[in-house]
Amino acid sequence: TQPIIIHIIEKGYYYHILLLHLFFNKDIKRRGKRMKNQQHQQKEENSISFGIVITEKFSVLTTTTSSPVDTTTSNIPSQKKNNKKSATKEKKQTNTSMQSSLFTKEHVEEWSSFGPRLKGKPSSEEERNKAMERKVKCTAMKKRLVSSFNSKEWTEKKIEKELDRLAVESSKQSTVFRPAYLDAPSGTRDFYPNEMKIRTWLFTTWREVAKSYGFVEYDAPVLEHVELYERKAGEEIVDQMYNFRDKDNDHVTLRPEMTPTLARLVLNKTNLSTGEVTIEGGLPLKWFSIPQCWRFETTQRGRKREHYQWNMDIVGVPHVHAELELLASAATFFSKIGIGSDVVGIKVNSRKVLEALLAKYGVTKSGGTENLFSKVCVVIDKLDKIGGDAVKELLSDIGVPANSADDILNALKAPSIEALADLVGEDS
């Protein structure tokens, strides 16, 4: 007969129980004196006996694999002997399991989330930074557990060794098939309550700083027309957008940035024949937003396909006072969260300086080179992203001579305003 296997969890322990059908035999032959009571004999011959044997006791966190056991009446004594023989082994298993039970599933998952230990020396700066980051996280967790366990037996070294062992065991265990739709789409992220607290704190700080400088908040649909971005950055931006045709056959996209949306909102409240802005309060406008933006790009560390950004815009101020106010706002934010000039710096660019620089090499906004000027500006905007060599190649493709491209790139590297003035001229 086959045993019936039952699992019971009681008081934090896991009992593996075999319910054994010992016998059911109608044809038992008896020797000796015949029973006078035939009815009593019939009952005995048809009786069913069963027993319960606890074969293993261990921590809930410990896993095991058991196979069916064929059991008959003839091996009950040997089963008892086996139980006695395995008592010492069970005790050792219980002690080991009790030690392991100090580590919860969350502990193992947290340790595994730090990634595998780097083998050998790091071959790149990225690997070095990754290894250092893992070391910092592992050390912090070990110190936390040492304090939590409060036992001389559990040193940082022993905790690390045990967590490594449990992580390896966890990775080897077969897992149930997990559908891909349970993960967030590539390049996106979920905000669980703890992460949401941080995001809310950051957004609140942005809003407080913006309002302290007299800015008001606005927002717009996350869905925009593709043409709105093609006019600003050219058709190649379509390859970086989440764009599609909707059921009305409109070519739309998830917004990759907010500035074209701001321009659309202002133009919708502007008399195009007179240039008068009909927005309540008139110019200048001091608006801010915290939009969620989307770019279908290759995901990498610190760069995903969706992000939030803090936008502050001033419309209708013709002098640099607007730029100064925006820079002051940014500096106030960093100061408010405890980040100083030793950590961050501010780079300032100027479209007028760029116009003067390009004009020196024959690329102007008039005189038949308007289209070339716009194309050059789009290419130069990619300098930080693709590098000088790639920018030089793109400038050559749109008709800028190689020597002019070199001079333009060198000018963009000017270390100071004085050095830039020497290149473009004091009057510019």
Side-chain angles (χ1 to χ4, degrees):
T1 57
Q2 296 294 326
I4 299 175
I5 300 176
I6 300 176
H7 297 98
I8 298 176
I9 296 177
E10 179 184 2
K11 295 183 180 179
Y13 291 96
Y14 189 99
Y15 291 87
H16 183 80
I17 295 177
L18 298 181
L19 180 61
L20 305 177
H21 288 259
L22 299 184
F23 63 87
F24 181 79
N25 191 347
K26 293 183 179 180
D27 301 319
I28 298 176
K29 294 181 180 180
R30 299 184 178 276
R31 297 176 181 177
K33 186 177 180 179
R34 292 178 59 88
M35 291 187 174
K36 295 182 180 180
N37 193 334
Q38 191 66 28
Q39 185 178 0
H40 176 72
Q41 182 183 10
Q42 185 68 26
K43 283 184 179 180
E44 189 170 5
E45 288 177 348
N46 287 280
S47 64
I48 300 175
S49 299
F50 63 90
I52 295 178
V53 181
I54 299 179
T55 59
E56 293 183 90
K57 171 184 175 183
F58 43 91
S59 166
V60 175
L61 292 177
T62 306
T63 59
T64 186
T65 303
S66 59
S67 57
V69 179
D70 290 331
T71 309
T72 62
T73 55
S74 61
N75 67 4
I76 294 178
S78 63
Q79 177 68 56
K80 291 180 180 179
K81 290 181 181 179
N82 289 337
N83 288 340
K84 290 179 180 180
K85 289 180 180 180
S86 63
T88 305
K89 183 179 179 181
E90 289 175 10
K91 185 176 181 181
K92 291 181 179 178
Q93 289 178 345
T94 303
N95 290 337
T96 302
S97 302
M98 286 298 291
Q99 289 180 348
S100 300
S101 67
L102 290 171
F103 300 92
T104 65
K105 180 181 178 182
E106 288 72 21
H107 288 151
V108 179
E109 289 178 349
E110 181 182 357
W111 187 262
S112 300
S113 70
F114 301 154
R117 188 195 308 274
L118 180 65
K119 296 182 179 179
K121 294 183 178 180
S123 58
S124 65
E125 186 66 26
E126 183 179 356
E127 280 192 355
R128 187 177 293 104
N129 292 336
K130 192 172 182 180
M132 182 60 68
E133 182 181 350
R134 182 186 185 277
K135 183 178 179 181
V136 170
K137 291 180 179 179
C138 290
T139 301
M141 182 176 180
K142 287 187 291 184
K143 290 183 180 297
R144 189 179 79 236
L145 292 180
V146 166
S147 176
S148 176
F149 295 165
N150 193 24
S151 172
K152 293 181 179 180
E153 181 183 357
W154 287 103
T155 61
E156 288 188 22
K157 186 175 182 179
K158 187 171 181 180
I159 287 174
E160 180 176 2
K161 185 176 180 180
E162 183 66 11
L163 283 172
D164 283 341
R165 184 186 69 79
L166 292 173
V168 171
E169 285 186 0
S170 177
S171 65
K172 288 181 179 179
Q173 290 177 0
S174 60
T175 57
V176 179
F177 171 73
R178 190 172 187 276
Y181 59 75
L182 291 180
D183 294 321
S186 177
T188 65
R189 55 183 168 170
D190 299 311
F191 288 90
Y192 285 90
N194 286 339
E195 289 86 359
M196 196 64 187
K197 287 179 183 179
I198 298 174
R199 198 187 88 176
T200 301
W201 165 80
L202 180 64
F203 287 10
T204 299
T205 306
W206 282 344
R207 289 187 170 97
E208 289 174 353
V209 172
K211 291 176 181 178
S212 70
Y213 279 84
F215 288 79
V216 293
E217 189 170 6
Y218 76 98
D219 200 359
V222 71
L223 203 62
E224 287 281 11
H225 294 283
V226 169
E227 291 81 4
L228 187 65
Y229 300 94
E230 289 177 338
R231 291 179 61 84
K232 179 194 175 190
E235 294 185 3
E236 68 271 12
I237 196 175
V238 176
D239 295 333
Q240 302 173 6
M241 297 193 300
Y242 281 87
N243 62 301
F244 57 93
R245 290 195 175 274
D246 64 15
K247 294 180 180 179
D248 291 330
N249 204 34
D250 288 330
H251 199 188
V252 294
T253 180
L254 298 178
R255 63 187 175 207
E257 57 175 308
M258 199 65 174
T259 303
T261 297
L262 171 69
R264 179 178 64 77
L265 293 177
V266 175
L267 285 174
N268 281 339
K269 294 293 185 178
T270 301
N271 186 324
L272 298 181
S273 59
T274 64
E276 180 186 1
V277 177
T278 60
I279 296 175
E280 184 179 355
L283 298 178
L285 304 178
K286 294 175 65 176
W287 290 1
F288 82 93
S289 61
I290 307 175
Q292 184 184 30
C293 299
W294 300 80
R295 290 285 181 102
F296 194 86
E297 298 178 312
T298 301
T299 58
Q300 52 187 298
R301 186 179 181 184
R303 190 179 186 91
K304 296 185 178 294
R305 291 177 175 173
E306 55 108 11
H307 68 275
Y308 291 87
Q309 64 186 42
W310 180 30
N311 282 18
M312 300 180 70
D313 297 278
I314 298 178
V315 180
V317 176
H319 44 73
V320 296
H321 292 176
E323 282 83 354
L324 292 174
E325 188 167 2
L326 291 172
L327 292 175
S329 302
T332 299
F333 163 72
F334 285 118
S335 177
K336 192 177 182 68
I337 63 174
I339 297 178
S341 58
D342 58 323
V343 179
V344 298
I346 297 176
K347 292 183 177 181
V348 180
N349 63 13
S350 169
R351 195 77 169 193
K352 289 184 177 181
V353 173
L354 183 60
E355 288 176 15
L357 176 63
L358 295 180
K360 184 177 180 180
Y361 301 102
V363 181
T364 64
K365 294 178 67 174
S366 58
T369 60
E370 297 90 343
N371 290 337
L372 180 60
F373 176 82
S374 299
K375 291 179 180 179
V376 169
C377 290
V378 170
V379 171
I380 289 176
D381 281 343
K382 299 177 180 179
L383 180 59
D384 289 338
K385 185 176 180 181
I386 64 177
D389 292 338
V391 166
K392 182 179 177 180
E393 185 177 345
L394 291 176
L395 290 175
S396 177
D397 291 342
I398 61 177
V400 178
N403 59 340
S404 296
D406 285 333
D407 292 338
I408 291 171
L409 290 174
N410 288 332
L412 293 174
K413 297 177 183 177
S416 64
I417 295 177
E418 291 75 19
L420 188 59
D422 292 339
L423 290 170
V424 300
E426 296 268 351
D427 296 336
S428 301

